[in-house]
Amino acid sequence: MARIRLQSVSKAYGGGQAAVTDLTLDIADREFVVLLGPSGCGKSTTLNMVAGLEEITRGTLLFDDEVMNHTPAHKRDVAMVFQSYALYPHKSVFENIAFGLRMRRVPEAELTRRVHDAAERLEITHLLQRRPSQLSGGQRQRVALGRAMVRQPAVFLMDEPLSNLDASLRIAMRAQIRHLHAEMRTTFLYVTHDQAEALTLADRIVLMRDGVVQQLGTPHDIYERPRNMFVAAFLGSPAINFLDGQLSTESDAPCFRRGELSITLPPGIAATATRDIVLGLRAEDVGPVQDGFPVLRGMVDTAMPTGSDQFLGLKVGGNDVFVRVGKDSAVREGETISLGLNPARLHVFDKASGLSLLHGHS
Amino acid sequence: MTIVVNTPSRPLLPIVVRGCGLAVASLLLLFYLLAPVAWLASSSLQTGREIVSVPPHWIPDHPTLRNFKAIFSAIPGLGASEAPAPDGTNSGGFIPSTAGNLLPAMLNSLIVASIVVLLNLIVGVPAAYAIAKIRFRGRNLALYTVLATRVIPDIALVVPFFLVVRKLGLLDSLTSLIVTYLAITVPFSVFVLASTFEQLPDDLDRAARVDGCSRSQVLLRIFLPLARPALVAVGLFAFLASWNEFLLALMFTQTAASQTLPIIVAAFTSDFTVSFSFLNAAGVLAVLPPAILAVVFERYIVSGLTAGAVKG
């Protein structure tokens, strides 16, 4: 159990390229924080710095109130699950799980008990005598989890632990990891590039890009109030639609204009010098036309039923817009339809800076 | 109506011809490689007269352990035991005057080779691990510097080595051989071990460190067991290189106190007569230790130990 604080932490490699720039993060004890971002965004580097596997170039790392910058990995009370699992191929499953305990000179009886407990929880007791090469991907993954669990560490680190599993197993394991967090009652720091994983698991998400934090907040915050276009585009499936246009303040309410399209925006747009703005519209934020609400008209280019839902590719004034409609909606390709928009659910960005213009986003 | 399509099977004849060709070629190669060894072993059990008989006897008519007895009964350091064998002076059955030096020389060779193997591993393993798994400034430079020493042929090193060894007062000592053999074998060991460690996933290194291993514990507990085939290969190489080395040993050793097996065996031909039977018995003894080592460690020289380490 530990509170982890990163204070203006930076990591630069020999060639001067920065992997992480000025990262400040305060992770409460027992919190589940997910570092999210595309590959190369510095999330794994951050995790490795917390683990002690990478040196910190600048800044301070604290566990509770203790500076950890120069404490080697084996003296930090952390456990880590790797994307590749990194099981010791020459050791049995039992010895793999027990290894961390052996290194810490845990008495044999206690060690055996803890390994068996973990194995039972993960349902791998029958595999304890096998070698890693005799296991399936999912089983290896459990062994890797078990190896970290038995340590009962102060900080539990996971580096894309589910990316090598197939889709259905991945979803099942998400639930298991949530349970694990609840039971272990320790601080979790989890790295992934999978937004669904992040949204499901995290108490808070740190969304990173090119070594810089883009937004830090609860999954709900980050999804509903993205600070910039990158955050808006990274979260959500299908991806958010962006429409370029102009901000018009001629009437009393601010308005998004693009050719014939005119959409009344929610009040409270930040004062901005620019008139070039980008409207962000999530696929699910359309509905039936309602009085007083802005309307989006477009020609149906493609209709894609997915079973539980139906997605439409619309042509709106030369732009492609992807929306979700009910599965019962009987729309044919080539038709022109009108959809209602909820101004409260629209996102507005400054085109030049990419930052959100809605209040309370930054 | 069904249409039967005969899939054209591959013509049989070329396959047979190819198989036979390969078999014949393999047999020829085997004969080329093994016949000298077989003759060495066979003739070590023959008398001098039988060896030179025409046609040669691959299987001795009268196998005798006389040659081996001579080796094991000769008294070390006693030079004047050059005695004709009982079957006559013309038989070529002389026991060379230096026969008694053979066993001490073997012991010298064994000491030198074992220490060279040991030091190779002690020096090579940490060096290779550092080069393979620790990111430090000058890592590549270190590797290339180590390798560059192997670009220079041994013959060019003989004189400088000799001068250094003489200055250090190490002439005619086993130490001189150990030091120079290390210079020759360590770069190769570091190179082989570094590429082996490099192939082991970085995540294993990191997992072990998070699990509570210091760098040296990672090396001892994780990497060494996994690199066993390479360790055996490196050890065998160092052993053979030291066991067989002739040129440097010829330069640095002068007396039986430090002479190694190749020097002593070579000296057997510098007597007035060459006793092929005795020479071949000595040859058999010289071949035995490396052969035994190869057989003992053969089962370790298999890879595939890393299977299952990472996602498969």
Side-chain angles (χ1 to χ4, degrees):
Chain A
M1 282 170 281
R3 170 185 180 197
I4 308 171
R5 275 181 293 168
L6 294 101
Q7 295 173 338
S8 299
V9 166
S10 296
K11 173 74 190 178
Y13 288 111
Q17 53 213 113
V20 174
T21 311
D22 203 22
L23 174 70
T24 296
L25 185 60
D26 189 343
I27 303 172
D29 184 21
R30 301 185 189 178
E31 195 177 10
F32 197 133
V33 168
V34 172
L35 299 170
L36 176 68
S39 59
C41 73
K43 56 191 191 299
S44 287
T45 309
T46 305
L47 194 75
N48 286 333
M49 287 192 288
V50 174
L53 296 171
E54 298 251 20
E55 279 175 37
I56 295 169
T57 313
R58 271 188 309 282
T60 314
L61 169 71
L62 299 122
F63 285 6
D64 291 326
D65 289 316
E66 201 182 336
V67 177
M68 298 303 276
N69 284 42
H70 300 293
T71 309
H74 65 280
K75 294 196 176 139
R76 298 184 187 189
D77 192 10
V78 301
M80 187 157 168
V81 178
F82 294 82
Q83 180 180 3
S84 66
Y85 314 142
L87 303 180
Y88 311 121
H90 58 302
K91 293 181 185 293
S92 68
V93 168
F94 183 95
E95 285 303 326
N96 261 282
I97 297 176
F99 187 67
L101 300 178
R102 285 205 194 286
M103 293 311 295
R104 282 172 175 73
R105 303 187 190 290
V106 172
E108 193 68 31
E110 161 88 357
L111 175 145
T112 311
R113 188 185 61 73
R114 272 157 81 170
V115 172
H116 277 106
D117 274 1
E120 236 163 74
R121 291 251 307 276
L122 295 166
E123 293 164 22
I124 51 173
T125 308
H126 60 295
L127 303 173
L128 282 176
Q129 297 316 315
R130 299 225 191 135
R131 291 287 172 104
S133 57
Q134 298 166 302
L135 304 180
S136 71
Q139 290 169 334
R140 285 178 203 183
Q141 214 277 339
R142 282 158 190 274
V143 176
L145 271 182
R147 185 171 64 179
M149 268 167 61
V150 284
R151 292 264 316 280
Q152 299 171 354
V155 181
F156 204 103
L157 306 173
M158 300 199 201
D159 191 357
E160 311 231 4
L162 304 184
S163 354
N164 287 336
L165 300 179
D166 56 50
S168 58
L169 199 52
R170 207 179 307 162
I171 289 168
M173 285 308 289
R174 271 185 216 158
Q176 191 147 13
I177 286 175
R178 271 227 72 103
H179 289 311
L180 189 66
H181 176 241
E183 285 172 39
M184 287 187 57
R185 308 204 296 166
T186 185
T187 314
F188 273 47
L189 188 56
Y190 186 106
V191 162
T192 184
H193 63 266
D194 182 334
Q195 46 145 332
E197 235 166 84
L199 292 170
T200 319
L201 293 172
D203 291 332
R204 280 193 301 160
I205 294 176
V206 182
L207 184 52
M208 297 177 74
R209 177 200 201 182
D210 297 336
V212 179
V213 173
Q214 302 295 305
Q215 191 165 354
L216 168 60
T218 64
H220 182 265
D221 270 354
I222 287 203
Y223 188 81
E224 297 295 338
R225 288 191 284 280
R227 250 185 66 193
N228 61 34
M229 287 173 68
F230 175 79
V231 176
F234 197 84
L235 290 170
S237 173
I240 192 168
N241 299 288
F242 286 130
L243 291 169
D244 289 356
Q246 265 75 45
L247 179 67
S248 152
T249 44
E250 287 153 19
S251 48
D252 42 352
C255 192
F256 170 86
R257 281 190 201 283
R258 179 198 165 84
E260 298 169 13
L261 188 64
S262 171
I263 297 171
T264 313
L265 296 173
I269 293 278
T272 172
T274 178
R275 293 176 54 83
D276 286 331
I277 59 168
V278 177
L279 184 74
L281 169 67
R282 292 211 188 270
E284 70 269 23
D285 290 338
V286 296
V289 178
Q290 292 175 43
D291 279 351
F293 276 33
V295 172
L296 183 75
R297 281 176 66 79
M299 194 265 285
V300 179
D301 190 42
T302 44
M304 285 166 275
T306 61
S308 58
D309 270 317
Q310 182 166 212
F311 291 95
L312 302 178
L314 302 181
K315 288 274 183 206
V316 179
N319 265 60
D320 288 313
V321 175
F322 210 66
V323 297
R324 190 181 79 185
V325 293
K327 59 182 172 182
D328 301 325
S329 158
V331 189
R332 273 194 300 267
E333 292 174 5
E335 276 178 29
T336 299
I337 59 164
S338 298
L339 294 165
L341 302 177
N342 179 354
R345 300 198 60 84
L346 293 175
H347 305 277
V348 187
F349 304 96
D350 178 346
K351 188 173 183 202
S353 68
L355 291 176
S356 173
L357 294 173
L358 300 181
H359 277 313
H361 283 199
S362 42
Chain B
M1 177 184 156
T2 54
I3 302 168
V4 178
V5 181
N6 280 321
T7 48
S9 57
R10 286 177 64 193
L12 196 61
L13 192 64
I15 296 174
V16 172
V17 170
R18 188 165 168 274
C20 289
L22 276 177
V24 169
S26 320
L27 284 176
L28 279 176
L29 184 69
L30 273 181
F31 181 77
Y32 174 78
L33 291 174
L34 293 180
V37 182
W39 179 245
L40 183 77
S42 160
S43 60
S44 72
L45 300 173
Q46 299 178 15
T47 61
R49 182 172 295 168
E50 195 175 358
I51 288 176
V52 294
S53 62
V54 180
H57 297 175
W58 282 91
I59 296 162
D61 282 348
H62 309 288
T64 168
L65 289 174
R66 195 191 57 149
N67 301 307
F68 291 101
K69 271 186 199 147
I71 290 172
F72 287 107
S73 59
I75 299 156
L78 199 68
S81 63
E82 185 160 348
D87 54 345
T89 46
N90 299 336
S91 67
F94 277 105
I95 306 300
S97 59
T98 47
N101 292 340
L102 188 67
L103 289 180
M106 238 175 129
L107 185 65
N108 281 345
S109 280
L110 206 62
I111 291 170
V112 169
S114 307
I115 293 178
V116 167
V117 168
L118 208 65
L119 290 178
N120 249 288
L121 295 180
I122 291 175
V123 173
V125 164
Y129 172 72
I131 287 173
K133 291 295 174 206
I134 301 177
R135 270 192 253 158
F136 61 93
R137 214 179 279 268
R139 173 164 84 145
N140 281 334
L141 186 70
L143 183 61
Y144 291 135
T145 310
V146 166
L147 280 180
T149 61
R150 295 308 305 131
V151 177
I152 307 161
D154 292 351
I155 189 83
L157 293 172
V158 168
V159 173
F161 270 163
F162 182 82
L163 295 176
V164 170
V165 165
R166 195 184 57 183
K167 270 263 189 251
L168 294 175
L170 293 175
L171 278 183
D172 201 23
S173 73
L174 293 183
T175 314
S176 68
L177 298 180
I178 292 168
V179 170
T180 47
Y181 293 176
L182 279 175
I184 293 169
T185 50
V186 164
F188 177 80
S189 303
V190 170
F191 178 70
V192 169
L193 291 174
S195 42
T196 306
F197 290 155
E198 235 158 55
Q199 283 167 16
L200 295 173
D202 280 356
D203 273 356
L204 278 184
D205 180 66
R206 297 137 63 89
R209 279 160 62 203
V210 171
D211 260 347
C213 290
S214 65
R215 286 277 191 186
S216 51
Q217 285 171 323
V218 176
L219 183 56
L220 285 175
R221 289 169 164 270
I222 305 296
F223 278 42
L224 284 194
L226 291 173
R228 196 152 58 183
L231 292 177
V232 169
V234 160
L236 274 182
F237 169 80
F239 187 90
L240 289 181
S242 313
W243 186 262
N244 293 334
E245 207 287 329
F246 182 75
L247 186 61
L248 294 173
L250 187 65
M251 303 299 291
F252 302 156
T253 64
Q254 282 141 10
T255 67
S258 67
Q259 281 176 327
T260 52
L261 196 63
I263 306 302
I264 294 293
V265 172
F268 289 159
T269 58
S270 59
D271 280 88
F272 297 107
T273 323
V274 178
S275 165
F276 287 112
S277 58
F278 182 81
L279 203 55
N280 287 340
V284 167
L285 289 183
V287 168
L288 267 184
I292 291 170
L293 280 183
V295 170
V296 169
F297 287 110
E298 186 264 344
R299 68 194 185 92
Y300 291 120
I301 312 177
V302 286
S303 49
L305 263 174
T306 55
V310 294
K311 60 172 169 150

